[in-house]
Structure formats: C-alpha cells, structure tokens
Amino acid sequence: MYGGSATQARSPLVGRDAVLADLKRTYHRARDERLPSFLLLWGEAGVGKTRLLDEFAQIIKAGEAEVGAATCLEGLCPPFAPLQEAFSGLGLAPHFGGEASPGTPDGEARRYRVFTAAAGVLAATALPRVLFIDDLHWADFATLELLAFLARRLQQTPVLVIATVRSDDLERDHARFGALNRLLRNGARKVGVDPLRPEEMNRLVSCLWPADDPRRLQEIERICTLAEGKPYFAEELISSAVTLRETPAVDPLPLSIRAGILARCERLPPGDRDILLQAAVVGLTFAPELLGRLVRKDRGEVLRALSSARDLQLVCEIEGSDLFAFRHALTREILYRELLGASRQLIHRDLASLLERERRPQDAGLIAFHWSAAGERTRAAVAYERAGDRAAARNAHRDAQDAYGQAVGLREDDAVGHALLDEKYSRTLSINGDLGQACFYLERSIDAYEARGDATKAASLATRLGRRYFEHARSDDAAVAVGRALRLCGGAGAVAYDAHVTLAHFAALQGRRAEAEEQLGRAERLLGAPPPPQRRDFHMVRAYLRATTARLRDAFDDYERAIAIAREIDDREQLTWALSNYASRALATGYAQQALAAYRESAELLPIDEFGKIGVLASNGVASAALAGGDFAAARSAHERARQTTSAMAMTQTAGIAMEIRLAYLADEVLPLDDAAIDEALAVAFKSGETQNIGLLSGTLAAYFDSTARPAEADALRSRAIAAIASADLSLLLIDQLAAAGTSAQCEKARALLSAAAGDDANRAAGAHLALFDARVARRQRRFSLAKTLATRAAVAFEEIGWPWERAASLEVAGRLADAREIYERHGYRRQLRELNSARRRTRHRAAGDRLTARELEVAQLAAAGMSNREIAARLFIGERTVETHISAMFDRFDLTSRRQLGSLVAAQPP
C-alpha cells in the first residue's frame, strides 16, 4: 500500500479532505441511490493516489459493501488480468477467456458476450460493490475496453469503480491515453490529485519528522524542496535521512527512487547520458543553448539527447518557453550525485565563467551559486553581494537577505573591508523583521567604519542602530548607540540633527515630554538645512509630541508635511512609515475613514512578503481600522496577512497579539494563544516603556481576563499598566475599564489622562470616551439619571465617529439595552450579546412576572396603535425620554424586536 516499506511510519493524510469527501459522496450515491460511478484518480507519480485508495478502503464499513482490488504491473498485464483479480476479490468468477481477435465477426460476437456476461455478474448484487484498481495506466487494452463498456452499460446498480492513473506515464503512450479518454467519454469521471501546497508539505514532513533541534529545520526544508509536493517522495527522503543519521556513509537519497531513475538513465547512449548529467549541474531548469556551450555540442545534438531523455520521462519541455526542466527535483539530484565531486566542481567553474562572460545582470544569483559550488569562496562572495544589490534594488528584500547572508558566510575574515556588506545585510534583516540579527551586523559595520577612520559614516549608522534597538525594546542600548553617534560626529552637522531627533522620539514615546521638547529644540538650533529624510523624521516626532499634548491639529499638519516630503523624494518605504503613523493617530483620535484610507495606501505601497516589518505594521493597521468600524471579516483578513510574516519590532508584536486577543474576545472564542506567548508579549510591551504598547495590550488582555473569570489577573494588569503609562495614547480601552472597575486612585489618574486628551477639541475619541468614563463612574455611584445623560451623549459621539462597539457599550450604560443588542447582533459581537442576554434574563427573573405596570400598559397600547414617542408623551403628559425608557424596558423584559409586538403583549395582560 501507499507509504513505502512496512517499517516506515505511516504518514497522516494531509491536504486531501476535498478529494476524500468527493469519494465518500460518490460512494453514498452508489449505495443509496443505486447510481454506478467510475472514478479515475489522476495525478503524477508519488502524489498519493494509492494512499487515497487505502484511506478510502478503511472508511467503508465491514459488511456494508463487497470490495475487490487489483494492481496492474508495468509490462506484465495479460488480458483482463486486473479485472479477473478484482472480481475474484468479490467472490465472482466470470469467464473472461483470452482477448478476442478484433475485426472478425466471430471475435466481435465473442467479445460482446464476454462483456455482457461480466456486466450481468457485476450487477447481480444486493450489497454495494466497490472495485479498486491501482496503476490503471499499465492495464492491458482488453481491460480498458471492458471498463469502458461497463461504464456505459451499468444502470441502477450500486457499483463504484475507483482506479488510479499516473498522468506522467501517459504523455508518450498515446494509445493508452486514447483508451482512457474513451473510458471518460463513456461516463467515467476524472478526479485530479494535485501535489500538496508548501504549507501542507511542511505540515506533513513535520508530523513525520518533528524538528526537535534547529539543524533539522534545514533538512526538512531540503526534503520539502526535493519532494515537490509528493507525499511518497517525502516519506522516502525522510526514511533515508533517518538512516543517514544512524549510518552516515549511506547515500542520502532513497534507493527505491534512485534505482528507478538510474535505470532509465542507463537506457540513454553514453553521449546523451553525459549531456544529461551536465544538465543536472546547470540546475533544475536549463536552456539548451547554454547546455550546448557547456558540453561543446551543437544545438541539434543537444536537442536529440534531450528528446531521448524526455521519452524516458527524465526531463520535460517548459511550455511557452525554450527551456527544459528535470521531471522532478529528485531526478536532478540523483543524476547530479552520479558525477564525481571533483567533476562537479569543474563543471560549476565552467558554468560560472560562461555566465560571467555574458554579462547579464539577471544571472547574478546563478553566477554566485556556481562559483560557490566550484569552491571559489571569494568570487562567490562578490557575486552573492552583487545578487543581493540587484534584489534590493527591485525591493525583493527576502531574496536580498538570502544573497547577502551567503556573501557574509563566504567572505574572508577582513571585517574592516566588509563594512558595507554588513551594513546592507543589516538593512535587509531589519526590513524583514529580524531585528536581533540586524543590530548585530549593523554594530559590526559601525565598528569597521570607525576602524577605517570614517567617523561620519559610523555616526550616521550608530543613530540608525539606536532606532533598531529601540524597536527591539532595548531602550538602554538604543540610548548608548545614539550617544556614540553624537560623540563620533562631534555634536554638529546633519548626523547630530538626526541623533537629537531620534532621542526626542525615544523620549516622546516613553512619555518624557519635556526631554523630547528639549531634544527637538537642540536639533532646530543646529546650523544648516537637514536633508529631506531627516526633516521628515523631525515632523513625525513633533507630530507625535503635539498629538499627546493636546495640539492635535498642529500634529496633523506635521504628519501631512512628513507624508509630503516622503512623496517628494519618492521613497516608498518612508512614505509607508509616514502614512502608517498618520493613520494610527487618526484612528486613535476618532477619524476612522481617514485612518483606513491611509492604512490601505500604506499596505498597497509595499508587499508584506518583501517588506516584512513595515508590511506587518500596515496590515495590523488595516485590521485595527476595520475592527473599529465593525467589519469583522476585513479585520480577520488583514490580521491573517500580518500573521504570515514575523517581526521582532515591539509595536508590531504588541499590535498583532492585541488584535488576536480582541478578535477572540469580541467573537466569544477561545484565545488561540498560550500563557507563554501572552507573558512574552507583555514583557516586550513593558520593556519598551512605550505608552502605546503598554496601554493597547493591557487593555485588550485585561478585558479578556475579565470575560473568562480571571478578575484578579485583570485587576493586577490594569493596576500595573495605569502606573506605567503617561498619556491616553492607544489606552482608551484600558481607561474605560478602570472607570467601571478601578480603584479611586486609578480612576483619578485615568480620568486625568483622558481629560488632558479631551481638552483638545479636535480629539473626538477622547471627548466621547470622557463622557462614557464619567457615565460609568456615575452609574457606580448610583446616579442613574446623570449616567444616562452622559452615556447617551457618548453614544451620539461614537456614532458620529463610526465606532459601533463603543456606541453599543454607551447605550448599555444609558439603559437602552434593545438598541445595544441590535448593534451587537449586526456586527457579530457575540460575547457582548451573550452577556447582555444573560443580564436581561436575570433582570426578567427578578421582575414581577409578565405583568405590565399601569403606565407601561398605557404606553404599550398607544405605541401598538402606531403613535410615535412624541405623540405618546403629549397624550400622557410625560416626557419623551420617559416614553423611550418604558418602551426599551418592555423590549428588554419580553424579548421584543418590533413595536408591532406590543399589541400581542397588551392582549396577553390579565384583566
């Protein structure tokens, strides 16, 4: 059966749910509706067709169906042999005889009788009958013709035939391909079995061979690459890798696969075989022209050799190009290893020289690979660095990181001579979110520039290093790095300007406003106009400082100036930063539409797979803006995009974890994070010292703790957070909770921070939250009338902002529970809906049965008659808000959804 040798571990069935579900549905139709079906599982060798048969056979319950199975053998399949074997498994013994001579009347009549008899025997059944035929592409033609006959002949019969077909064996076998097509035309159905996707392949390999140490990750990656989505190949490779660990002298490639490939290769003439072996050195894909120059043969001779190899299914043409490729990565690997190591090196050296002479920039990576494989470390390092430069120029920073990393690993130990390489490598590491390594290589570059005597360059990079350390929540190291920059540049010039702006940024983010103002002042007092990128940074820092000191309009002017500068210098990376920072501020202060537009532009500017750190920031922002606006689906989608890339930046880590918690909280789901991940995120947030990190994560997590019966942890976290934050920046959810559950001292500080933010009339969100804060406090003090007035004011403000969750929360405090419930239902806030319904049930349980008070009855009668609240108020000489309160209370107590239902409620009242 599928999976190789009997001693091998059986792999889990990965990525086949849809195909298996199709087989089950088809079987049930045959069993329950007596609809016969013929299915052909169609796919490449090793893709898992036989395993699917095996898995499906386990599903069919014992005694529920009769099962027969057969396997066709390559070059050894007498007429009707597979069907004879399968019928025997069913306990049937029809007389097939030999293959009737076609073209003669007697032969055709005899064949018809055989076919009809087989159909009759197969159809005579009460239980469903299932036939499994493996490797049908090797079946004799008599079997294929009989199957085509049965597919058309059988009607209202509980028969299911499932056969596997290896598609790559049919490309040159036109006769069998035609016979199988005839079977399809007669009613059989093709079910494609495709290679597994990369993530499925990784899951499969990791299940079979868990990466219990870092070194194994490389082996797993190699196996996934070579297997190309084929589970059988993966299993064989894992088996060989395990054997290799136990017996290092063993060939690392599976003998079962290697023998088949080499047997086919041996059928080539020696000259053609040599061409193919050298093609394996070129790579998985290769051009005949380059191969011809390498082996010194003319084009015709090379194409003849490739044609023979194609017929043996060793190579194939790539449609729409003049390139060829090996059938499988394993094929290329096996042939490559047939050459002596010294021979391989010589061929790699010749290839590198050939490619270098052609001077094509796009070949930089190939040249580097071949020089490295040839053992030419210095030339390979230079070529890899060139390849990294080319990748970085087209913003392919993942490729650039790989290339620079190879160059760093191959270079000689001349640290001073490689300062620029370390600098470039550090930048790509930073862009891709690996801040720890980025800091290491940047510091090494700074040391090299300083040793070389280039103090200005070293100072400039030291400021950059400070920013990387700060992003990595290492604020002490950040301050030391910027101090080094000021020392190296002598405290003057553009580098000093950049250093002071950077120190101002650190101080502002950690709530040290006076120090931030002082550092910005020092920067402004330096002589000379700073370069545009540094002016952009100045405006960004001043914008943050102004936004957190009740000067929001001035802050937005600075944000817009920073964005304009980034557009002027046509720097997509800096523009994305500027837009994301502007959007974050707009969202936090109640300008949701402007925030979403800016976040979307920033997310579109840089693809997340190539600008990991910034791309994650933008995607997290889109998720936050969507969630604030009540769009759960868009928030989840953007969050999933952000999760695909790892970033060590404290802000992106905090935002990502906070979004995970918030989504789970609102959707009333179990949080898909363990305590270790939460503790690590909290440690990063508090270590950063940034109000926005601490307030954002603590607020979302404390709310989740409250909702999952962990109030002590929630209170402890809120207490720790309010003591650490210096502004209301991104802490509104935390502050809102303190109004409802905080101590008097905590409430006093929280309200002071909120009041300071709301003192800026441009900060719409702070003003709305201040009204809600005071409403919650009034409710705790049992001042219900004041609480309702303030909460209603907050609800109106949140509605104008476009924040449905906060509006519904305000309506709850105001006592308008039906309105709050409608919002929770519409936006999918399942936790709040459940909690509100639970509270309403408790209220109704305490209420005096189903009886309306006299006033409620009067209001209900008039409302049921179609009067508006204003008309009812005028009729009964009461306030309009009193009418609204009575109607809301009745809606809540009796689970009403429309005013029309009040008529039935009135009619049901006892006399």
Short mmCIF file of all heavy atoms in Angstrom, two decimals, residues 777-795:
data_model
loop_
_atom_site.label_atom_id
_atom_site.label_comp_id
_atom_site.label_asym_id
_atom_site.label_seq_id
_atom_site.Cartn_x
_atom_site.Cartn_y
_atom_site.Cartn_z
N VAL A 777 -18.69 56.04 35.95
CA VAL A 777 -18.46 56.42 37.35
C VAL A 777 -19.78 56.81 38.02
O VAL A 777 -20.07 56.41 39.15
CB VAL A 777 -17.45 57.57 37.43
CG1 VAL A 777 -17.35 58.11 38.86
CG2 VAL A 777 -16.07 57.10 36.95
N ALA A 778 -20.61 57.58 37.30
CA ALA A 778 -21.91 57.97 37.86
C ALA A 778 -22.79 56.75 38.13
O ALA A 778 -23.49 56.69 39.15
CB ALA A 778 -22.62 58.93 36.89
N ARG A 779 -22.72 55.77 37.26
CA ARG A 779 -23.52 54.56 37.46
C ARG A 779 -23.03 53.80 38.69
O ARG A 779 -23.83 53.26 39.46
CB ARG A 779 -23.42 53.69 36.20
CG ARG A 779 -24.40 52.51 36.21
CD ARG A 779 -24.34 51.78 34.88
NE ARG A 779 -25.27 50.67 34.86
CZ ARG A 779 -26.56 50.76 34.53
NH1 ARG A 779 -27.05 51.94 34.18
NH2 ARG A 779 -27.35 49.70 34.54
N ARG A 780 -21.71 53.75 38.89
CA ARG A 780 -21.16 53.09 40.08
C ARG A 780 -21.63 53.81 41.35
O ARG A 780 -21.82 53.19 42.39
CB ARG A 780 -19.64 53.08 40.03
CG ARG A 780 -19.06 52.13 39.01
CD ARG A 780 -17.54 52.24 38.93
NE ARG A 780 -16.88 51.76 40.11
CZ ARG A 780 -15.56 51.80 40.30
NH1 ARG A 780 -14.78 52.31 39.34
NH2 ARG A 780 -15.01 51.33 41.39
N GLN A 781 -21.83 55.12 41.22
CA GLN A 781 -22.29 55.93 42.37
C GLN A 781 -23.81 55.94 42.48
O GLN A 781 -24.35 56.69 43.30
CB GLN A 781 -21.74 57.35 42.23
CG GLN A 781 -20.22 57.42 42.28
CD GLN A 781 -19.70 58.81 41.90
OE1 GLN A 781 -20.43 59.66 41.34
NE2 GLN A 781 -18.42 59.05 42.18
N ARG A 782 -24.49 55.15 41.59
CA ARG A 782 -25.95 55.04 41.58
C ARG A 782 -26.63 56.37 41.25
O ARG A 782 -27.76 56.64 41.65
CB ARG A 782 -26.46 54.47 42.91
CG ARG A 782 -25.82 53.15 43.31
CD ARG A 782 -26.49 52.53 44.52
NE ARG A 782 -27.85 52.10 44.22
CZ ARG A 782 -28.17 50.99 43.57
NH1 ARG A 782 -27.21 50.17 43.14
NH2 ARG A 782 -29.45 50.67 43.36
N ARG A 783 -25.95 57.17 40.49
CA ARG A 783 -26.54 58.42 39.98
C ARG A 783 -27.02 58.14 38.55
O ARG A 783 -26.41 58.54 37.57
CB ARG A 783 -25.52 59.54 40.03
CG ARG A 783 -25.01 59.82 41.44
CD ARG A 783 -23.71 60.59 41.45
NE ARG A 783 -23.85 61.94 40.92
CZ ARG A 783 -22.83 62.74 40.61
NH1 ARG A 783 -21.58 62.28 40.78
NH2 ARG A 783 -23.02 63.95 40.14
N PHE A 784 -28.12 57.41 38.46
CA PHE A 784 -28.55 56.81 37.20
C PHE A 784 -28.98 57.85 36.16
O PHE A 784 -28.75 57.68 34.97
CB PHE A 784 -29.67 55.80 37.46
CG PHE A 784 -29.23 54.64 38.31
CD1 PHE A 784 -29.80 54.42 39.55
CD2 PHE A 784 -28.22 53.79 37.89
CE1 PHE A 784 -29.39 53.37 40.34
CE2 PHE A 784 -27.81 52.74 38.67
CZ PHE A 784 -28.38 52.52 39.92
N SER A 785 -29.61 58.89 36.60
CA SER A 785 -30.06 59.92 35.65
C SER A 785 -28.87 60.59 34.98
O SER A 785 -28.85 60.77 33.75
CB SER A 785 -30.92 60.96 36.38
OG SER A 785 -31.33 61.97 35.47
N LEU A 786 -27.85 60.94 35.77
CA LEU A 786 -26.65 61.54 35.20
C LEU A 786 -25.93 60.55 34.29
O LEU A 786 -25.44 60.90 33.22
CB LEU A 786 -25.71 62.00 36.32
CG LEU A 786 -24.37 62.59 35.88
CD1 LEU A 786 -24.59 63.82 35.00
CD2 LEU A 786 -23.51 62.93 37.10
N ALA A 787 -25.86 59.30 34.74
CA ALA A 787 -25.20 58.27 33.94
C ALA A 787 -25.87 58.14 32.57
O ALA A 787 -25.20 58.04 31.54
CB ALA A 787 -25.22 56.94 34.67
N LYS A 788 -27.20 58.16 32.58
CA LYS A 788 -27.92 58.01 31.31
C LYS A 788 -27.65 59.20 30.38
O LYS A 788 -27.43 59.03 29.18
CB LYS A 788 -29.41 57.88 31.58
CG LYS A 788 -30.24 57.72 30.31
CD LYS A 788 -31.68 57.46 30.63
CE LYS A 788 -32.47 57.29 29.32
NZ LYS A 788 -33.89 57.00 29.57
N THR A 789 -27.66 60.40 30.94
CA THR A 789 -27.41 61.60 30.13
C THR A 789 -26.02 61.57 29.50
O THR A 789 -25.85 61.80 28.30
CB THR A 789 -27.56 62.85 31.01
OG1 THR A 789 -28.89 62.90 31.52
CG2 THR A 789 -27.28 64.12 30.20
N LEU A 790 -25.03 61.26 30.32
CA LEU A 790 -23.65 61.23 29.81
C LEU A 790 -23.45 60.10 28.81
O LEU A 790 -22.79 60.28 27.78
CB LEU A 790 -22.68 61.06 30.99
CG LEU A 790 -22.56 62.26 31.94
CD1 LEU A 790 -21.80 61.87 33.20
CD2 LEU A 790 -21.86 63.43 31.24
N ALA A 791 -24.00 58.92 29.10
CA ALA A 791 -23.82 57.78 28.20
C ALA A 791 -24.51 58.02 26.87
O ALA A 791 -24.00 57.62 25.81
CB ALA A 791 -24.35 56.51 28.86
N THR A 792 -25.69 58.67 26.91
CA THR A 792 -26.38 58.99 25.66
C THR A 792 -25.55 59.95 24.83
O THR A 792 -25.45 59.82 23.60
CB THR A 792 -27.76 59.59 25.97
OG1 THR A 792 -28.52 58.66 26.73
CG2 THR A 792 -28.50 59.92 24.68
N ARG A 793 -24.92 60.93 25.50
CA ARG A 793 -24.04 61.86 24.79
C ARG A 793 -22.86 61.11 24.17
O ARG A 793 -22.48 61.37 23.02
CB ARG A 793 -23.54 62.93 25.76
CG ARG A 793 -22.68 64.01 25.10
CD ARG A 793 -22.05 64.90 26.15
NE ARG A 793 -23.06 65.43 27.07
CZ ARG A 793 -22.77 65.96 28.27
NH1 ARG A 793 -21.51 65.98 28.70
NH2 ARG A 793 -23.73 66.44 29.03
N ALA A 794 -22.30 60.15 24.91
CA ALA A 794 -21.19 59.36 24.38
C ALA A 794 -21.63 58.54 23.18
O ALA A 794 -20.91 58.43 22.17
CB ALA A 794 -20.63 58.46 25.47
N ALA A 795 -22.83 57.94 23.26
CA ALA A 795 -23.33 57.12 22.15
C ALA A 795 -23.46 57.94 20.87
O ALA A 795 -23.12 57.46 19.78
CB ALA A 795 -24.67 56.50 22.52
#
